[in-house]
Amino acid sequence: MKPEILLVNPMLPAIEASLDAAYTVHRSARIEDLGEIGARIRAVVTGGGTGVSRPLFDALPNLEIIAINGVGTDAVDLEHARNRGIRVTNTPDVLTDDVADLAIGLMLDASRRIAAGDRFVRAGAWPRGKFPLARKLTGKRLGIFGLGRIGRAVAERAAGFRMEIAYTSRRPSPEAAPSWRFEPSLEVLARDSDVLVIAAAGGDATRNLVGRAVLDALGPDGILVNVARGSVVDEPELVEALLEGRLGGAGLDVFADEPNVPTALFPLQNVVLAPHQGSATVETRTAMGDLVLENLSAHFGGREPPMAVV
Ligand code: 8YV
């Protein structure tokens, strides 16, 4: 008998075909649809932003493993999983380059107004006048909040733009390049940066840490880029700072209540909005899916999953 699993978010067709070959896959995570199936589910496959809600946990009494198709574990209550003896796995490393690439893209776009220029041309506005001047990125000061794998990959890329790099993290990172300066205070880092990139993990430890004080420290010429989690930023404060011109611009791939983005941001030409697409390439989603398959097959084969978090 194939183990029964619950797939919460769709994956690439080839990955789903491999799941179907090895498991009986249920595809509705609505509690009311689960009924007695819930007791037969032994694994959940879910996205990093979606995780597993408490009601879903409760509807799956025989759950053995949660395989996250993503690096972030903040949407899964790891303590609760540990107490229930449920394994949790994720897909680190394989998405680092893509997320860092997107951070650079958002930083470039928010500075150089590439998407705004595209809208200007498409709207037929060019023959009627010049597009306003943007801001240079090369040589500017980059602050990175969270120097994990993704933060380091952003810093490495930014070196190509001759940016001056500083970071804040729980402690100085032994993996930081000698020229990257450690700054213990996020607010001071923001004050001393032209661009602040958030690459810190989500969850209670970082919730709303980028609030009014940090945004005001970054200031009217500063740019905020977020490729981590919407929860790290106090979103109403961010919207207010952008509307009032207290913050220069933003490149945002993540939001507090995805897929809902504050509509007040839509008219702003100094804000670049992305639909949580940091890891959304065919190559990376294939590699992430392969890791999910490996984590599951190790678990059901009685081996330690390669990417076990719990
Ligand atoms: C994905 C993510 O969009 O890795 C994460 O934590 O949020 C993203 O890479 C998501 O997990 C896709 O399912």
Side-chain angles (χ1 to χ4, degrees):
M1 273 256 289
K2 295 199 277 190
E4 297 195 33
I5 72 168
L6 179 65
L7 178 64
V8 177
N9 298 124
M11 298 176 77
L12 283 177
I15 303 294
E16 290 207 22
S18 300
L19 285 175
D20 284 320
Y23 310 101
T24 299
V25 183
H26 298 276
R27 287 179 164 83
S28 174
R30 283 160 43 103
I31 309 293
E32 51 276 31
D33 293 346
L34 278 171
E36 87 283 4
I37 298 168
R40 304 203 302 267
I41 300 289
R42 297 172 63 191
V44 167
V45 179
T46 186
T50 313
V52 174
S53 67
R54 184 49 75 95
L56 185 57
F57 257 118
D58 294 344
L60 309 173
N62 297 309
L63 187 60
E64 297 167 25
I65 177 169
I66 297 168
I68 301 173
N69 181 35
V71 66
T73 57
D74 53 298
V76 172
D77 184 340
L78 297 181
E79 202 44 49
H80 184 65
R82 202 169 281 125
N83 291 337
R84 276 189 48 186
I86 299 168
R87 249 180 182 151
V88 180
T89 62
N90 68 347
T91 64
D93 302 317
V94 293
L95 48 70
T96 301
D97 284 333
D98 269 5
V99 180
D101 288 353
L102 190 78
I104 296 290
L106 291 173
M107 192 186 299
L108 264 175
D109 197 335
S111 313
R112 298 298 308 274
R113 308 270 167 103
I114 301 168
D118 177 85
R119 287 191 293 271
F120 179 82
V121 172
R122 285 172 200 258
W126 194 9
R128 294 197 298 273
K130 288 259 190 289
F131 186 65
L133 295 183
R135 287 294 190 150
K136 181 169 179 160
L137 185 69
T138 289
K140 292 288 171 72
R141 299 166 304 167
L142 170 65
I144 300 177
F145 175 20
L147 202 76
R149 287 171 279 234
I150 293 170
R152 290 198 299 276
V154 172
E156 283 159 10
R157 284 158 175 74
F161 291 87
R162 300 196 298 277
M163 294 183 87
E164 219 179 86
I165 294 157
Y167 69 96
T168 194
S169 235
R170 277 176 295 246
R171 62 193 77 84
S173 166
E175 288 169 276
S179 61
W180 305 348
R181 185 173 57 79
F182 174 68
E183 168 50 62
S185 154
L186 174 58
E187 204 176 312
V188 173
L189 180 73
R191 192 196 63 204
D192 295 342
S193 298
D194 299 302
V195 181
L196 181 68
V197 172
I198 304 175
D204 289 339
T206 56
R207 196 172 306 283
N208 290 341
L209 283 187
V210 177
R212 190 178 180 110
V214 171
L215 296 169
D216 282 347
L218 195 53
D221 294 321
I223 288 171
L224 181 75
V225 169
N226 191 0
V227 289
R229 283 290 183 265
S231 61
V232 182
V233 178
D234 184 333
E235 198 167 76
E237 284 289 354
L238 171 63
V239 171
E240 208 177 291
L242 286 163
L243 289 174
E244 292 174 0
R246 285 185 285 113
L247 182 66
L252 308 171
D253 186 44
V254 288
F255 301 89
D257 178 31
E258 295 171 10
N260 302 304
V261 174
T263 51
L265 297 178
F266 292 179
L268 300 184
Q269 297 300 319
N270 54 340
V271 178
V272 186
L273 303 169
H276 199 145
Q277 64 191 88
S279 67
T281 65
V282 174
E283 293 86 344
T284 292
R285 285 291 164 84
T286 302
M288 290 164 68
D290 285 342
L291 256 184
V292 166
L293 292 169
E294 278 177 49
N295 282 324
L296 288 176
S297 75
H299 171 79
F300 287 113
R303 288 171 283 117
E304 178 69 10
M307 294 301 168
V309 182
V310 170

